[in-house]
Structure formats: structure tokens, C-alpha cells
């Protein structure tokens, strides 16, 4: 389940039929391996961006609560419509029913083994920065959280007064901080982001090969007329489908969902090292544990792409607004401006392949909309499970857009978009795996307010809710609360029985749901 998940290894690639050679050299903690076609995952040599530093004191500093100073309602909400983050059948039923609370508690408790493994992994990842009593702190936190969950599971709570799922996941993060555990998934996220950065250029190259603003049918740059215009529209539709499938494939890899790609796990390819390996003393077998085969990674993601392909789903995706998205991206609007949306806010979900999908989406929407389009990639200010943080998002964007000193070429399209302020990263102000737009961060709200000066709220705005936590377990139906005309796109995969049941869906069904503010 997304709200509680541990985050399995996320891996990306181009399609099975069009698979450019994946870059074999990446900055940060990935080093080149010459002409072997392999990449090496190396330990951290410098501080990795995290939401907050881990204290080295054996006595954690006092923690009362997260600082939400300046947080407030998201400016695209209509203040007269009484916004609630609640998705039907989640927080509302938890508040009313002890039985419903116990169902979610069972899922939360079921994720503790994953949390334990990731805490151990992060302890190794932190190396000398890891507090000596890190393991003891984690075990104490488990006891704290189990005690809290037992309490909220009890009967006898008045209807409407029970702990909601948002309460449960928020309290998880508070209890972690009270034990001095700021980012229990830091090691996993660093590995996922490193691997996603290896494969980003292959994915971007595939997308550009289908459609890009500079690409014409015969390779020239003249205005397209007649059949060329129709061919271009077809290519653009194919590009949008490929981008959405990349987003869904990235969201596929979450807690417990790696089984969807036939047992492919991180251990199939590597075990990230914590201590710099000494190649002079390591055996070939030991060295192999630190290598990632780029072609194998490409094939893994190709399998994920096939799994979520719209063509493979009879009648399309389970919740399918693809034709509406394509129509908007392909056609000029009423004022004869460029296609697409002029302002886009993307609420990102997991680290690794998932956030890479959101970067690919932002890059594509900025290209479709032209020079007047701006896209804000929004990530949590504070760490919450394997969700990407704003600091980690900045690091990922820098890695894939910048040229390295070892000859690695950054993505010129994304780099240009970022330089011109057309793709930006903004912190959400949030600390949860769910999303409550009534407590949006000051920096996010300021960005939206500034852009509203030039683009009034309405059909030129799009808000993207990525993943189960932000788009299924909360904000499933945001349209009634948004200002008139503002578009909302829920992009996710259903990855738990409890969510599938309440949505009338099946596990691994895909959600591509476009709605319009002011509608029911």
C-alpha cells in the first residue's frame, strides 16, 4: 500500500522495441566501467541531500511537531467549497469505524519488516554519520508505533472521532523524529535515484524520437501543412502515451509491487556498497555484487512498460482519460495559444523511477505547451518513507540535466527548461505520504500566487496527483474543490486489495483520470 509502503527498487528503461543504449556513466555515486556496458554503484563521498541531518548524539533532540509556519490552503482551491483531502472509503470510514481502522492498521503493521530492513540499510549507508544506537532507536520506535496503532484500533470511539489514515501516517513520522530517526529510507532512496539517473537519458531519447518540438516528419524545421500536421498530431499522441506509460511503470515499483515484474528485485543485479570496495583485494564474485548491467536494467523496465501498456489492457486502462489528455496536448486552445497547459503543478510521490517519471512528464508538458508554459515539480519538505524530498529532487534534476566532468552529457532540453524557469522544483511544506492541500507550504503557495498574476485560475492550470498516497488514498476526487476550470490529473497504479475493493478495481489496474474544477 502506498501510504505505508517501503518502496521496492525502481528501475527504468526504454521500450522493448526501441531501446537505445543506456548511458553507462553517471555522476554522484555511480562510476563508469569503460566499455563493459556496466555501471558501478559506489558509496557516498559527500553529503547526500536529506530532509534533515541525523544527529550523532545518543540522546535525540526534543521533538514536538513539524514546523508548519506559513502553511495554508493551496491557492487553486475554491475557499467556498470546503476542501477535504478525504478519498471516499479511506479517512472517512476510519473516523467512523473501528473495523475500518483495524483493516488499515493490519496493513501498517505488515510493513514493519520492510521498515526494519530499510533502517538497517540506511544505518550502513550513513557510515560514520550513523548514531551508534541507531538500531536501538529504531526498535524503540517500532514499539512506540505498535502501541499507538493498538490504541487507535480500540472500540468505543464516537463516530467521526476515530483516527484517520492521515492521522496514522502522520503520527508515524512524528514518532520517528522523537526517536531521532529523520530519514529511515535514505539508503534506499539514494540507490533508486542513482539507478534512475542512469536510465533517464535512454527514456528521454526514446520520447524525443517519437515527438519533440524541433522534430518534423522529414527532418526539416519548416511550418508543417496538410498531411504533415496530421502526422505530427499522431506522433504527439504517441509521445504522450509513452510518457504516461513511463509514469505508470515508475509507480509500479512500490512496497510489495515488485512481484508484478516476475520477482525482479534489486538483489538480482547488485547490493549497493557502503564501504568503498578495494578492487585490488575483492574477488570477481565479490566485485560482481557491486555492478549493475545497464542492458539488464533496460529490459526490466521494458517489462514494466509492457505490464502497464494501454494496448495490453482490454478497453484501455481501468480509469482512462487518455483521449482527453491527448486532445488537450494536441490541439490549440480557444485563444489560439499553444496546446497543453500554461501552468502545471506536479505533486511527486516516490524516489527513483517514480520521480523520474514525473520529471519526464514535466519535460514533455513544457515542450508541448511552448515557451509560455511553466511546470513546478513539488516534493515533500520532510522525509516520509520512500517519498522523494525536495532536496533529493533538486539533486536528481541536477544530475540528469548537467554535464559532468567525465564526459557525461546532461539532457539539453531539460537543462534549457530549468534555466528559463519553465521547469522548477518547489517544496510542498508537507511531511506525510498523503497530501492535505489545506496545509500547503508557504513557498509552494507563493509560487502559485505569483503565477496566478499572469495566468488566472482556470483551464490553463493543471494539477497532477502522482501515486496512491496523493491521488488514491487522498484527493481521489479533487475537482469539486478546485476553482472553476482548473484541471486535475490523477496518475497511479492500484497496488493494494483494500484500495482495489473500494474503487471497484483490481490490483495493478492503472489510473489516468482527468477532471475539471467545479465539476462533481
Amino acid at each position: 500500500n502506498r501510504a505505508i509502503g517501503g518502496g521496492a527498487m525502481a528501475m527504468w528503461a526504454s521500450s522493448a522495441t526501441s531501446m537505445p543504449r543506456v548511458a553507462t556513466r553517471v555522476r554522484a555515486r555511480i562510476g563508469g566501467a569503460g566499455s563493459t556496458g556496466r555501471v558501478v554503484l559506489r558509496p557516498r563521498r559527500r553529503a547526500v541531500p536529506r530532509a534533515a541531518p541525523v544527529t550523532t548524539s545518543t540522546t535525540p533532540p526534543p521533538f514536538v511537531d513539524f514546523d508548519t509556519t506559513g502553511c495554508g490552503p493551496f491557492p487553486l482551491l475554491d475557499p467556498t467549497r470546503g476542501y477535504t483531502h478525504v478519498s471516499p472509503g479511506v479517512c472517512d470510514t476510519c473516523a467512523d469505524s473501528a473495523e475500518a481502522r483495524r483493516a488499515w492498521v493490519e496493513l501498517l503493521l505488515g510493513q514493519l519488516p520492510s521498515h526494519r530492513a530499510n533502517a538497517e540499510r540506511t544505518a550502513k549507508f550513513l557510515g560514520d554519520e550513523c548514531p551508534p544506537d541507531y538500531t536501538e532507536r529504531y526498535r524503540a520506535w517500532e514499539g512506540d508505533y505498535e502501541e499507538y496503532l493498538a490504541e487507535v484500533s480500540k472500540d468505543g470511539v464516537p463516530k467521526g472521532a476515530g483516527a484517520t489514515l492521515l492521522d496514522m501516517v502522520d503520527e508515524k513520522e512524528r514518532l520517528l523524529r522523537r526517536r531521532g530517526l529523520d530519514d529511515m529510507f535514505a539508503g534506499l532512496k539514494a540507490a533508486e535515484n542513482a539507478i534512475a539517473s542512469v536510465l533517464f537519458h535512454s527514456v528521454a531519447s526514446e520520447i524525443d524520437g517519437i515527438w519533440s518540438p524541433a522534430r518534423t516528419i522529414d527532418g526539416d524545421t519548416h511550418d508543417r501543412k496538410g498531411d504533415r500536421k496530421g502526422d505530427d498530431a499522431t506522433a504527439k499522441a504517441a509521445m504522450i502515451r509513452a510518457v504516461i506509460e513511463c509514469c505508470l511503470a515508475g509507480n509500479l515499483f512500490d512496497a510489495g509491487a515488485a512481484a508484478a515484474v516476475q520477482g525482479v528485485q534489486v538483489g538480482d543485479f547488485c547490493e549497493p556498497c557502503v564501504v568503498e570496495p578495494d578492487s585490488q583485494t575483492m574477488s570477481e564474485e565479490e566485485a560482481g555484487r557491486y555492478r549493475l548491467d545497464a542492458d539488464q536494467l533496460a529490459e526490466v523496465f521494458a517489462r514494466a512498460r509492457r505490464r502497464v501498456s494501454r494496448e495490453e489492457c482490454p478497453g484501455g486502462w481501468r480509469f482512462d482519460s487518455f483521449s482527453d489528455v491527448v486532445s488537450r496536448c494536441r490541439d490549440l486552445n480557444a485563444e489560439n495559444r499553444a496546446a497543453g497547459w500554461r501552468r502545471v503543478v506536479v505533486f511527486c510521490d516516490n524516489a527513483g523511477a517514480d520521480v523520474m517519471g514525473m520529471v519526464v512528464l514535466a519535460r514533455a508538458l513544457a515542450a508541448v505547451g511552448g515557451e509560455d508554459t511553466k511546470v513546478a515539480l513539488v516534493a515533500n519538505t520532510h522525509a516520509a518513507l520512500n517519498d522523494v524530498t525536495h532536496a533529493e529532487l533538486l539533486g536528481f534534476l541536477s544530475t540528469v540535466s548537467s554535464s559532468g566532468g567525465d564526459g557525461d552529457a546532461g539532457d539539453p532540453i531539460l537543462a534549457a527548461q530549468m534555466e528559463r524557469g519553465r521547469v522548477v522544483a518547489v517544496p510542498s511544506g508537507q511531511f506525510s505520504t498523503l497530501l492535505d492541500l489545506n496545509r500547503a507550504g508557504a513557498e509552494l503557495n507563493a509560487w502559485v500566487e505569483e503565477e496566478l498574476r499572469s495566468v488566472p485560475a482556470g483551464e490553463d492550470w493543471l494539477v497532477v496527483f502522482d501515486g496512491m498516497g496523493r491521488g488514491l488514498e487522498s484527493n481521489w476526487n479533487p475537482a469539486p474543490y478546485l476553482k472553476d476550470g482548473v484541471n486535475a490529473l490523477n496518475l497511479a497504479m492500484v497496488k493494494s486489495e483494500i484500495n482495489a475493493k473500494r474503487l471497484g478495481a483490481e490490483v495493478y489496474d492503472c489510473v489516468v483520470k482527468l477532471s475539471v474544477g467545479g465539476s462533481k
Side-chain angles (χ1 to χ4, degrees), residues 170-188:
D170 282 0
E171 189 63 14
K172 172 186 286 186
E173 299 305 325
R174 293 189 184 98
L175 292 172
L176 281 167
R177 268 64 177 192
R178 287 169 191 163
R179 291 292 180 180
L181 302 171
D182 295 303
D183 194 350
M184 186 167 58
F185 284 73
L188 175 70

Side-chain angles (χ1 to χ4, degrees), residues 286-444:
E286 290 173 324
R289 295 175 61 233
Y290 300 101
R291 296 196 188 99
L292 289 165
D293 188 298
D295 290 333
Q296 285 179 305
L297 289 173
E299 174 55 27
V300 168
F301 184 62
R303 278 184 265 165
R305 286 276 298 276
R306 290 193 292 269
R307 181 63 183 263
V308 302
S309 171
R310 190 168 184 262
E311 292 182 343
E312 296 298 318
C313 303
W317 293 308
R318 177 64 181 83
F319 300 92
D320 195 339
S321 298
F322 174 70
S323 60
D324 295 329
V325 175
V326 166
S327 177
R328 183 60 189 261
C329 289
R330 189 171 54 191
D331 302 330
L332 298 178
N333 61 30
E335 286 74 28
N336 204 35
R337 289 191 295 265
W341 295 268
R342 296 175 66 195
R343 297 294 181 269
V344 183
V345 178
V346 180
F347 286 102
C348 300
D349 191 31
N350 301 330
D354 201 350
V355 75
M356 181 182 175
M358 294 303 103
V359 173
V360 170
L361 177 65
R363 181 182 183 273
L365 292 178
V368 165
E371 289 296 323
D372 190 39
T373 297
K374 293 183 180 180
V375 184
L377 287 161
V378 182
N380 273 10
T381 299
H382 307 280
L385 299 190
N386 64 319
D387 287 356
V388 68
T389 65
H390 173 64
E392 291 160 347
L393 173 60
L394 287 173
F396 183 82
L397 287 169
S398 176
T399 296
V400 298
S401 66
S402 304
S403 297
D406 56 358
D408 289 339
D411 178 52
I413 293 178
L414 180 61
Q417 291 170 341
M418 293 172 60
E419 182 179 355
R420 296 169 188 167
R422 297 180 56 220
V423 173
V424 299
V426 183
S428 69
Q430 308 259 336
F431 59 89
S432 178
T433 52
L434 272 64
L435 175 64
D436 183 354
L437 292 177
N438 274 328
R439 59 189 196 192
E443 193 169 339
L444 169 60

Side-chain angles (χ1 to χ4, degrees), residues 94-97 101 157-164 167:
C94 285
D96 291 342
S97 165
R101 291 194 294 276
V157 178
K159 186 175 181 179
T164 68
D167 293 331

Side-chain angles (χ1 to χ4, degrees), residues 240-303:
I240 293 298
R241 190 184 74 180
V243 168
I244 291 176
E245 288 176 351
C246 284
C247 293
L248 295 171
N251 195 242
L252 169 62
F253 287 91
D254 195 3
V261 185
Q262 297 301 316
V264 174
Q265 301 282 350
V266 60
D268 292 339
F269 301 127
C270 80
E271 176 67 24
C273 52
V274 177
V275 179
E276 178 73 36
D278 183 352
S279 59
Q280 302 299 316
T281 61
M282 292 176 69
S283 68
E284 182 61 29
E285 180 180 358
E286 290 173 324
R289 295 175 61 233
Y290 300 101
R291 296 196 188 99
L292 289 165
D293 188 298
D295 290 333
Q296 285 179 305
L297 289 173
E299 174 55 27
V300 168
F301 184 62
R303 278 184 265 165

